[in-house]
Amino acid sequence: MRWLTKLLMIKDEERSSMVYYVTIFVLIGVGLSLGRGSMGALFLKRYGIEYLPIMYAVLSVVMAVASLAYASYVDRIPSERMFVKMLGVLGILVAAIWGTMSFTNAEWVYPAYYLVYELASELVIVHTKLYVEQNFDSLQLQRLSAPMFASANIGKSVGGALLGVIVPIIQVSNVLLVWAALVAIPILLIVLRHRHVGISPFFVSGRKGRGVVKQSVEHVAQGLKFFQKTEMLRAASYALFFMVISFFILRYSVNRVLTETFPTEDKLAEFIGWISAVTGTVALLVQLLLTGRLMRRFGVKKVGLIFPSSAVLSFLALVVSFSLPAALIGIFSRDVIFPAVRKPSRMVFLHALPDYMMGRVNALSVGLVLPLALLATSGFLMLTQRLSEPTYFVVGGMCSSLIYLYFRMRANRAYTPALLATLSHRLFLPQRQGEDMLNAGNEELCKQLVRGVSGPDENMAVAYARMLTAVCPDDAPRTIAQRLPTASYPTRDRLLRLLIAGKLPVSDILYDSLADTDTRLKATILEALFDTRDPRAREYVDQCLHSDNPRLAATGIFGAYRYERAHLEPSVQETWQRLLSSPRDVENLAGLELMARIPDQRLVPQLRKLMENPSTRVRRAALKSLACFPQGSLADFAPVLRALYKTTDPELRALCVEGYRVLSAAERHQLCIEALEDEHNAVRDAALKLIEESEGRDRAVDIVKQWILENRGFPRAQQSALGALSRYRLPGEVFKRIAESKVHEASKLAHALRVIQSDYEANTRTDPVLELLAIVLQERVSQVLDLALMAMENFEDPATITAVRAGLATNDRRHIAHACEALHNLHDHTLTAPLIALVDNTGFEKRDANVAQEDTFQNAREVIAWCMHHPDAWLRECASRTAPASVAAGT
């Protein structure tokens, strides 16, 4: 059983559920196989194949009515309750038909039996899909739909063999009684199962009401609206329409050949039984060994093209020779490829649509598309079956198959956008409409911003002013100048700083504002005027220099330098020394802010002292000033910066990194590399910026790229470095190499995780240190995978990768399943398979496809030893805590 579950990619926790579903599918397959063989023999021999096209037309009407009733309840009650009702009605009808057939001579019973079987084979299978979809997510369906539907083929094989054995004993008509009896078993199993586990987990109740017919029509109408606005559903519905036409023409063609070949109903039923057993067995092998793996390897889009291609080949064989060998090819396409490949792939394919529409989409297919296609098939066959040559309707079937293939390819083209739209909608991924609007700079937007600046709320006015200076800089000076008289002093200061920072021509506005201002705002204005060497402000230099206010005094020093008033140099140095040596923080801050604008080597001793000041604000200002000195000019500051970097304040650490620029090249490089592993993103970003500034772009790219490839630092730190590389717009090959490296690292981590989990389970889940290491490894696998996807954003479609990353980050099985399916649509398929295998974590033994022999581990001791030498500091720390306990336990 363990070998079989691994072969079928069934996880341990899914075994018991799979036994239940396999049993249900087998029983349904046996019953439908018995019904199919008996119905075909009785109708074709007792009623006549010439009436088959008429039955197609009748079936279309009956199917529409039945599906209307089905649609009225399918979204309103859990699928298991609907299943019980449908199977119960089926058993009663089959038993009634058997009684009528056995005790009367009524001929209407044969077309009635035909209709009952066709409705059952369609609606029961459709509802079986819905039942499975309400109990499994898409990722599970990719693995498990194949063995589940393969179980139906087991039932089909058993039913076919049973039919071939019992027909000579009990005659064809009595097979109906056997089928009716079999229906009772799945009913009992379903009731017992859901009495224990409750309702289906993914069932979402639709709206309930009294108007059943009205509600059913609404369901179909909603499906039609969705059909009109969804390209994928339109193409898939057209594909289904022509698929039904080609499928029923193929059935008619095969049945005509069989009717002409076998003379009696018993012989025909016996042949149908044995051929069903053979095709069921082949279909079983295909589903078990190929379908799931094909969908995982090539994606659902490519697998969906297999059946239409086989239908075209089947009709081509019938055109060449309308005989039993050609009919056998059609039977293979109809009874092997259709159930084993087409049905599972279509079920997963439609999962790209929103969950709340699945029931309506199914109702639309069964209630509208299928009946219309049957009517078209009926009319075509009634026109062509009386012709002397069967070639006419065979060629018509081949044409419909080609059209089916065309629309299936159109649906494939629309699949990826639909999948990403559904995933983005579920994850509430933000759109970038706001950015486009801001970048547009249109007149209406500028008018809105101008009105916002003029508003009564001062905080909102500043916010609008900030946007106005960025989007409409020409309108900003006039608008802000009109707002200044009504604003408070702090708000005026903020508004004027926006104009100054934007380097807009506002000298007149600033000078006019000096008449009505406070000390702080006066310092802001004069500093801006001094900076532009405005001649009108020259007279304020002496006044500021001798002011008791530290900000004005610092502004006066700045003015003396800007206007090059050399005779004021002694007074300037005295005032500046006083500000930096003062015990008051406010004076220190004023002097340090000035030093950030005018780095003066003569004041370095005071700067060094202020870097050890107990005030955090002063230390921050001192570090900002230090970063303004020339590169490599203060190499002896290394000990001070190393000591300051040990603080828990991330802002101080980031400022320390900015100050590294004054150190020697070797010291600066070493400290920046260490800062790349800092826990805070602001510190890492500062280190990346300094590396680029000091090393040059090309050298910085090489340093950061190699740092990432060597797995230096924890994954989040590598994300910051990778983000920096992304801004350089490097060739895609660089990021592809990084992505491949991360996939390989994630594969090795996943292999290590499985070894640790295996040892943990062997210790009967009692070793907490192993559990800790397993948790850390699981976390690292997810983070390194996200790194690989982040690198892939630079050579794949960014929207697709963004949706995939968001889906995987949710830990929601449905979103992860959609994310995996989206991975199939990437251009670079070399990374698709290992990524999906790592996310799904199925079908792998001790060695992964991306882990070389020398990278494998035999036991937990080897894993812990590897982790203890890993560049990731957190992984090393956890492994070092794990190692003593593991050694003591003799691991």
Side-chain angles (χ1 to χ4, degrees):
M1 180 61 70
R2 181 177 295 273
W3 172 84
L4 183 61
T5 53
K6 287 182 179 179
L7 176 67
L8 301 180
M9 298 180 292
I10 300 172
K11 297 181 180 179
D12 292 343
E13 62 271 19
E14 296 167 342
R15 287 184 187 176
S16 60
S17 296
M18 284 300 294
V19 171
Y20 162 76
Y21 286 102
V22 164
T23 304
I24 294 293
F25 273 78
V26 167
L27 291 171
I28 290 174
V30 171
L32 291 178
S33 184
L34 293 175
R36 178 185 176 187
S38 58
M39 179 276 296
L42 292 170
F43 183 87
L44 295 176
K45 288 301 182 180
R46 294 189 184 184
Y47 205 68
I49 192 173
E50 64 273 13
Y51 295 104
L52 196 55
I54 299 174
M55 293 308 300
Y56 287 170
V58 176
L59 179 62
S60 67
V61 177
V62 175
M63 184 71 72
V65 174
S67 62
L68 191 66
Y70 172 78
S72 65
Y73 289 102
V74 66
D75 285 344
R76 300 170 60 193
I77 62 176
S79 56
E80 63 274 8
R81 288 174 55 190
M82 187 71 175
F83 216 167
V84 169
K85 293 181 179 182
M86 291 175 64
L87 292 175
V89 171
L90 174 62
I92 293 171
L93 288 176
V94 171
I97 289 173
W98 172 81
T100 305
M101 194 180 297
S102 300
F103 301 109
T104 69
N105 294 322
E107 291 190 355
W108 59 264
V109 72
Y110 302 109
Y113 185 35
Y114 176 88
L115 293 174
V116 168
Y117 168 76
E118 290 294 347
L119 287 174
S121 63
E122 188 63 38
L123 291 179
V124 169
I125 294 301
V126 166
H127 192 73
T128 301
K129 294 180 191 174
L130 186 62
Y131 180 51
V132 170
E133 288 169 357
Q134 288 187 7
N135 287 274
F136 294 97
D137 60 60
S138 296
L139 198 58
Q140 288 177 306
L141 287 176
Q142 288 193 16
R143 294 183 289 105
L144 304 180
S145 61
M148 280 190 287
F149 284 103
S151 303
N153 285 322
I154 294 176
K156 179 180 175 182
S157 300
V158 173
L162 182 62
L163 185 67
V165 170
I166 66 175
V167 164
I169 302 173
I170 65 172
Q171 296 184 342
V172 179
S173 58
N174 292 322
V175 172
L176 278 72
L177 192 60
V178 179
W179 185 16
L182 281 174
V183 169
I185 303 177
I187 292 176
L188 180 62
L189 291 175
I190 293 170
V191 171
L192 293 176
R193 163 82 176 181
H194 288 278
R195 185 174 295 173
H196 174 66
V197 301
I199 66 172
S200 301
F202 297 129
F203 166 68
V204 179
S205 178
R207 186 180 61 183
K208 297 183 179 181
R210 294 183 179 179
V212 174
V213 176
K214 180 181 178 181
Q215 223 173 83
S216 301
V217 173
E218 286 180 357
H219 281 210
V220 177
Q222 289 169 1
L224 279 172
K225 290 180 181 178
F226 198 61
F227 166 89
Q228 291 173 351
K229 66 181 182 179
T230 307
E231 172 62 24
M232 176 190 146
L233 182 58
R234 282 201 304 273
S237 298
Y238 288 131
L240 177 63
F241 179 82
F242 288 102
M243 186 281 296
V244 172
I245 293 176
S246 62
F247 183 81
F248 277 89
I249 293 176
L250 183 61
R251 283 183 60 178
Y252 176 83
S253 304
V254 170
N255 285 334
R256 185 159 169 175
V257 172
L258 296 181
T259 304
E260 294 173 356
T261 304
F262 297 95
T264 65
E265 62 185 42
D266 288 343
K267 291 292 184 183
L268 179 57
E270 190 176 350
F271 174 80
I272 292 175
W274 288 115
I275 197 68
S276 296
V278 173
T279 54
T281 302
V282 176
L284 170 65
L285 295 175
V286 170
Q287 281 190 309
L288 290 181
L289 302 178
L290 288 178
T291 304
R293 285 170 170 77
L294 286 175
M295 283 195 287
R296 286 167 56 83
R297 176 65 180 85
F298 298 105
V300 69
K301 294 196 301 182
K302 293 181 181 178
V303 174
L305 299 176
I306 295 176
F307 176 69
S309 303
S310 70
V312 173
L313 294 176
S314 300
F315 281 113
L316 186 61
L318 288 168
V319 169
V320 174
S321 174
F322 195 75
S323 59
L324 186 59
L328 291 175
I329 297 175
I331 290 173
F332 180 83
S333 176
R334 182 193 68 183
D335 296 346
V336 175
I337 298 179
F338 182 81
V341 178
R342 187 259 175 189
K343 284 186 176 180
S345 65
R346 186 173 189 270
M347 180 172 61
V348 178
F349 186 81
L350 290 180
H351 235 286
L353 300 175
D355 292 337
Y356 66 90
M357 286 304 303
M358 291 305 297
R360 292 163 177 80
V361 169
N362 286 330
L364 177 68
S365 300
V366 178
L368 189 62
V369 178
L370 181 59
L372 289 177
L374 281 172
L375 281 175
T377 307
S378 175
F380 175 74
L381 288 175
M382 282 190 287
L383 289 174
T384 56
Q385 71 170 341
R386 297 183 180 179
L387 299 176
S388 57
E389 290 291 333
T391 307
Y392 295 100
F393 58 78
V394 174
V395 170
M398 185 165 65
C399 292
S400 64
S401 298
L402 290 170
I403 299 174
Y404 166 38
L405 179 62
Y406 166 74
F407 278 111
R408 190 61 177 78
M409 289 189 291
R410 279 191 55 181
N412 282 353
R413 287 196 293 270
Y415 174 74
T416 301
L419 180 67
L420 294 176
T422 299
L423 188 59
S424 299
H425 177 73
R426 288 175 178 172
L427 300 174
F428 303 102
L429 293 182
Q431 304 298 320
R432 297 188 177 180
Q433 299 171 351
E435 289 184 15
D436 298 336
M437 185 179 181
L438 283 177
N439 293 330
N442 56 69
E443 294 183 4
E444 184 60 32
L445 175 60
C446 291
K447 291 179 181 178
Q448 293 286 349
L449 295 176
V450 168
R451 285 194 288 270
V453 174
S454 304
D457 189 295
E458 293 192 340
N459 288 326
M460 292 300 297
V462 173
Y464 277 111
R466 184 177 293 107
M467 296 176 66
L468 187 66
T469 56
V471 179
C472 310
D474 294 339
D475 297 335
R478 176 174 52 84
T479 303
I480 292 177
Q482 292 173 353
R483 184 66 172 84
L484 287 174
T486 60
S488 63
Y489 288 139
T491 301
R492 290 186 197 179
D493 187 72
R494 294 166 68 189
L495 291 172
L496 289 174
R497 284 181 182 275
L498 288 174
L499 293 176
I500 295 167
K503 297 182 179 180
L504 299 174
V506 291
S507 295
D508 293 339
I509 297 174
L510 294 174
Y511 192 79
D512 294 340
S513 299
L514 282 172
D516 181 20
T517 184
D518 66 353
T519 304
R520 181 180 180 83
L521 183 56
K522 184 177 182 179
T524 299
I525 295 172
L526 287 174
E527 183 179 358
L529 292 173
F530 290 166
D531 192 35
T532 58
R533 294 187 175 90
D534 191 305
R536 295 171 294 181
R538 187 184 183 95
E539 61 187 70
Y540 288 93
V541 173
D542 290 306
Q543 178 183 340
C544 291
L545 194 59
H546 297 92
S547 173
D548 294 332
N549 183 278
R551 282 208 68 205
L552 283 176
T555 303
I557 296 171
F558 179 71
Y561 280 111
R562 292 299 291 167
Y563 290 110
E564 299 179 351
R565 299 179 68 174
H567 66 282
L568 295 177
E569 179 65 23
S571 178
V572 164
Q573 281 297 313
E574 180 185 351
T575 303
W576 204 347
Q577 291 275 2
R578 175 175 57 81
L579 292 175
L580 294 175
S581 303
S582 171
R584 298 174 57 207
D585 291 352
V586 65
E587 294 187 343
N588 296 156
L589 292 172
L592 289 170
E593 288 175 4
L594 177 62
M595 188 180 293
R597 302 202 66 172
I598 307 175
D600 193 328
Q601 292 277 0
R602 293 171 294 182
L603 301 172
V604 167
Q606 286 80 8
L607 176 61
R608 184 191 299 271
K609 185 177 180 180
L610 289 173
M611 290 178 68
E612 299 174 355
N613 192 287
S615 170
T616 301
R617 290 185 62 195
V618 172
R619 291 201 304 273
R620 287 176 184 171
L623 287 169
K624 289 179 181 178
S625 301
L626 179 69
C628 297
F629 279 82
Q631 191 173 100
S633 59
L634 300 174
D636 57 335
F637 267 67
V640 179
L641 289 173
R642 283 182 179 274
L644 276 176
Y645 187 80
K646 295 178 181 179
T647 180
T648 57
D649 185 346
E651 184 178 352
L652 271 179
R653 295 203 305 274
L655 291 172
C656 283
V657 173
E658 293 177 10
Y660 288 165
R661 67 188 309 275
V662 302
L663 304 180
S664 64
E667 191 87 31
R668 180 172 60 246
H669 178 83
Q670 179 185 349
L671 292 176
C672 283
I673 294 298
E674 292 177 4
L676 285 179
E677 301 184 36
D678 194 275
E679 62 185 17
H680 200 277
N681 64 308
V683 182
R684 300 193 297 266
D685 290 343
L688 288 165
K689 182 179 179 181
L690 183 56
I691 289 174
E692 180 182 4
E693 176 189 333
S694 58
E695 302 284 353
R697 180 183 180 277
D698 295 339
R699 174 62 181 155
V701 167
D702 291 338
I703 291 172
V704 175
K705 179 177 66 175
Q706 192 62 32
W707 186 83
I708 295 173
L709 290 173
E710 292 175 356
N711 290 309
R712 302 280 297 278
F714 54 96
R716 194 164 295 171
Q718 294 184 42
Q719 281 187 350
S720 298
L722 189 54
L725 286 183
S726 300
R727 293 191 290 269
Y728 291 138
R729 301 184 180 276
L730 301 173
E733 288 300 319
V734 173
F735 296 102
K736 183 177 179 181
R737 183 184 173 194
I738 292 174
E740 290 172 346
S741 169
K742 296 308 162 189
V743 169
H744 178 271
E745 175 68 10
S747 299
K748 190 170 182 180
L749 286 166
H751 173 60
L753 171 63
R754 280 189 287 276
V755 172
I756 291 294
Q757 288 175 334
S758 177
D759 277 42
Y760 179 58
E761 292 175 359
N763 290 331
T764 63
R765 301 177 178 269
T766 58
D767 190 344
V769 290
L770 284 179
E771 183 182 11
L772 168 65
L773 189 57
I775 292 171
V776 174
L777 286 169
Q778 181 65 67
E779 178 188 59
R780 285 300 186 251
V781 170
S782 301
Q783 292 173 334
V784 175
L785 273 179
D786 189 66
L787 266 174
L789 290 167
M790 185 177 176
M792 292 171 69
E793 285 183 341
N794 295 276
F795 60 91
E796 293 282 359
D797 177 38
T800 301
I801 301 299
T802 299
V804 169
R805 292 179 65 193
L808 296 181
T810 62
N811 290 325
D812 185 291
R813 292 187 302 169
R814 293 171 299 171
H815 299 157
I816 292 173
H818 280 76
C820 285
E821 188 56 42
L823 286 173
H824 280 296
N825 301 284
L826 301 179
H827 296 97
D828 192 337
H829 297 290
T830 58
L831 292 171
T832 300
L835 278 171
I836 295 174
L838 284 166
V839 172
D840 193 15
N841 194 25
T842 57
F844 287 85
E845 302 295 331
K846 291 184 179 180
R847 284 190 59 194
D848 290 82
N850 294 284
V851 181
Q853 181 66 44
E854 61 272 14
D855 292 335
T856 57
F857 309 105
Q858 300 301 319
N859 50 48
R861 181 188 292 274
E862 292 185 7
V863 172
I864 294 169
W866 175 70
C867 292
M868 291 181 67
H869 294 87
H870 198 278
D872 187 337
W874 173 236
L875 197 56
R876 291 198 308 270
E877 177 68 18
C878 292
S880 66
R881 300 296 180 93
T882 308
S886 300
V887 171
T891 301

